Amino acid sequence: MLIEPQRMEPDEILIERTLQGELSAFEQLVERHRGIVYRVAARIVGSDDAEDVSQDTFLRAFHRLNQYRGTAPFRTWLLQITQNTALNALAWAGRRPTEPASESPETADADPIRQPAKELERRERQQRLELKLRALRSEYRSLLVLRDLEGLSYNEIADVLEMPLGSVKGRLHRARGELIELLRNNTYDWELPA
Amino acid sequence: MNAGDSLPEELTPAERRLVQHLELLRTGAPTVTPQLVPRVIRGVRWQRTVRDPLVLVGAVASALAEGLALLFKSPRGGE
């Protein structure tokens, strides 16, 4: 559903209205942030469990909404919950995600014979890359997802992952280095210069 | 833009190439189903219905337990 710009209320107003018992305000918050919450969850736990993790994230957020202090944007606070919920889900399941998260339901069922070779190759590269990303430790994976896939600022990442700004930059560099090494060891040529 | 982001990021050639590769994942990002929003709202409604009474029961049980513990607690050092 499209909401006209003049009717787009800031998150803070919607939070206030939710706290006053207006569930439709919370519905708007979920609608507004569901995309990024789902994508981050899917990158951490895999697409099979991403919807459950997203739902848990929003339920936790709803029950803790009175603890939101507004010192950071609501999205940051929400992503912090997403990150913790996803890591808990992984720990509870005692496993690392295995299946790629890039498959949307429509493309996953597509007949490979009908797809042009270029598209097939792109899909294969995407899946290989996804698997290598999953092979990273969760902290590095989160850093790459938040920075290189979601484009968050260093400051926002520092808030989400609850680490100093300097650590974000240093660990992001190491995370990229580790992923580069994983890709270099892959049989597929990723053309990564030394 | 935050202060920490004001300077352009210095990437090595390999990192630059990696970021280009990661673009593949950005374009093929997993998409959420439209059912998520109603699922969340149903969950909130259901939890709101059962949560408050459960919290109340929990608080009463906890107070009772504390009261009993105080009643039957043997005095310290008293033998």
Side-chain angles (χ1 to χ4, degrees):
Chain A
M1 188 180 72
L2 282 174
I3 299 171
E4 291 169 33
Q6 65 267 30
R7 293 187 59 205
M8 282 269 287
E9 288 184 86
D11 286 351
E12 288 66 27
I13 300 289
L14 292 174
I15 291 165
E16 200 56 52
R17 284 174 47 199
T18 305
L19 288 171
Q20 286 164 7
E22 225 181 292
L23 205 51
S24 65
F26 187 67
E27 196 171 344
Q28 285 182 58
L29 283 170
V30 178
E31 185 70 51
R32 190 173 293 175
H33 297 286
R34 68 189 171 126
I36 192 168
V37 165
Y38 181 82
R39 287 195 303 275
V40 170
R43 299 293 185 202
I44 299 174
V45 298
S47 47
D48 279 354
D49 298 323
E51 190 146 327
D52 285 342
V53 168
S54 304
Q55 187 184 6
D56 282 354
T57 297
F58 284 115
L59 289 176
R60 285 178 194 205
F62 178 80
H63 291 299
R64 294 179 194 169
L65 208 53
N66 57 354
Q67 294 169 27
Y68 172 65
R69 294 284 163 256
T71 49
F74 178 67
R75 182 179 84 157
T76 306
W77 185 73
L78 200 55
L79 286 177
Q80 210 176 67
I81 300 176
T82 310
Q83 162 82 3
N84 291 335
T85 308
L87 292 183
N88 284 345
L90 275 187
W92 188 79
R95 60 169 172 77
R96 283 183 157 199
T98 49
E99 95 294 359
S102 297
E103 303 266 336
S104 63
E106 313 87 66
T107 57
D109 296 331
D111 181 357
I113 297 167
R114 290 183 184 177
Q115 293 180 3
K118 209 168 179 182
E119 173 60 15
L120 269 180
E121 194 200 330
R122 192 188 66 82
R123 288 269 308 281
E124 195 186 330
R125 279 157 60 93
Q126 204 174 47
Q127 287 183 2
R128 281 171 187 250
L129 190 56
E130 185 89 36
L131 286 174
K132 293 298 171 192
L133 185 66
R134 296 296 178 76
L136 293 175
R137 69 188 81 167
S138 61
E139 182 189 73
Y140 283 1
R141 191 166 58 234
S142 297
L143 279 160
L144 289 172
V145 168
L146 295 175
R147 179 68 185 178
D148 292 336
L149 299 185
E150 294 298 334
L152 264 64
S153 70
Y154 289 128
N155 284 337
E156 199 173 359
I157 295 171
D159 284 339
V160 170
L161 300 181
E162 296 173 282
M163 61 171 70
L165 190 61
S167 302
V168 171
K169 293 179 181 180
R171 287 181 207 184
L172 185 63
H173 179 69
R174 285 197 289 278
R176 285 180 183 139
E178 206 165 284
L179 185 56
I180 287 168
E181 277 314 302
L182 283 173
L183 292 174
R184 278 185 181 141
N185 293 333
N186 196 226
T187 48
Y188 195 89
D189 185 13
W190 293 91
E191 298 164 1
L192 289 158
Chain B
M1 184 71 71
N2 298 298
D5 292 308
S6 55
L7 292 172
E9 204 172 356
E10 281 182 28
L11 298 177
T12 65
E15 283 178 332
R16 265 200 299 276
R17 189 84 184 103
L18 175 71
V19 171
Q20 283 171 3
H21 285 314
L22 288 172
E23 179 69 30
L24 260 181
L25 296 186
R26 253 204 305 268
T27 54
T31 47
V32 61
T33 64
Q35 285 86 36
L36 179 68
V37 181
R39 264 183 75 186
V40 169
I41 298 304
R42 267 200 308 275
V44 166
R45 282 209 179 98
W46 185 82
Q47 287 191 0
R48 249 193 345 190
T49 312
V50 297
R51 192 182 157 100
D52 290 348
L54 280 179
V55 168
L56 187 69
V57 168
V60 169
S62 166
L64 269 176
E66 272 182 38
L68 287 173
L70 276 175
L71 271 177
F72 296 106
K73 193 175 174 185
S74 56
R76 267 193 193 182
E79 291 202 13

